[in-house]
Amino acid sequence: MSVPLEPQAQMDCLTTPAILSTDVGTFIDDSFAIALLLAQKPKSLNSARAFNSRQKLSGVSDEHTFSARQLDLQLLVTAGGSPLARARVAARFLTRSGHANIPIGLGAPSTNRSGALFNWAEEFDLSSYAGGVTSDGVGAMASVLSRARCPVALIEIGPHTNAHALA
């Protein structure tokens, strides 16, 4: 359920904060999804304003403009089995792509413990990851949601263990 924002609050929300819950590392699909999120991440407040201005100029209504805003990835939380191995894959991917400032949380585990990309990241030292890694990914999700001034997009592209644990 979403709560309508006051007009001023909508103006202040130039981007939509996002949390990504992912079982990155099993197949390449999650890596592609992360890359797509990062590719459209605004580089500055001015680029977010320009994005929203283009939407308004194209005749899209304010309601659709609000939902079409760029996503701003605030937190990546691993989902599925082997949350630590998945965090290594995510941290190495984010570091290599120049986005090592995004925090990573270890999510609620499940039974899927295999990952084709685990070997690629097994030597990655999580303690050196600039964005920080927390062992309580679900708690980190709750923190992002509680301090957000704008509606937050919760994107799940893996098992729904984190959203279930959040509820």
Side-chain angles (χ1 to χ4, degrees):
M1 177 174 101
S2 66
V3 177
L5 292 177
E6 295 296 322
Q8 183 57 45
Q10 287 186 21
M11 298 284 291
D12 292 343
C13 297
L14 296 173
T15 61
T16 300
I19 299 170
L20 179 65
S21 177
T22 173
D23 62 344
V24 65
T26 304
F27 299 108
I28 199 71
D29 59 330
D30 289 57
S31 299
F32 282 127
I34 294 167
L36 287 171
L37 272 172
L38 298 175
Q40 62 84 61
K41 184 176 171 115
K43 302 294 183 207
S44 69
L45 201 54
N46 288 335
S47 65
R49 284 189 179 113
F51 176 83
N52 286 330
S53 295
R54 284 192 305 273
Q55 291 295 317
K56 288 182 180 179
L57 289 174
S58 67
V60 177
S61 72
D62 285 341
E63 176 185 353
H64 291 98
T65 301
F66 181 69
S67 64
R69 291 196 172 115
Q70 290 178 315
L71 295 173
D72 181 16
L73 187 57
Q74 300 286 308
L75 174 67
L76 184 148
V77 181
T78 60
S82 303
L84 192 60
R86 294 181 193 286
R88 281 191 196 100
V89 171
R92 184 168 183 198
F93 184 91
L94 292 171
T95 299
R96 289 262 178 118
S97 64
H99 295 277
N101 59 319
I102 297 169
I104 296 172
L106 305 182
S110 74
T111 57
N112 178 10
R113 303 216 180 276
S114 64
L117 299 176
F118 288 0
N119 288 342
W120 174 74
E122 70 184 343
E123 300 298 322
F124 192 89
D125 179 13
L126 284 177
S127 66
S128 69
Y129 178 67
V133 178
T134 179
S135 61
D136 183 10
V138 174
M141 290 170 70
S143 178
V144 168
L145 291 168
S146 69
R147 70 176 186 265
R149 296 178 328 136
C150 306
V152 176
L154 174 55
I155 305 164
E156 290 198 294
I157 56 174
H160 304 295
T161 53
N162 293 324
H164 181 73
L166 188 60

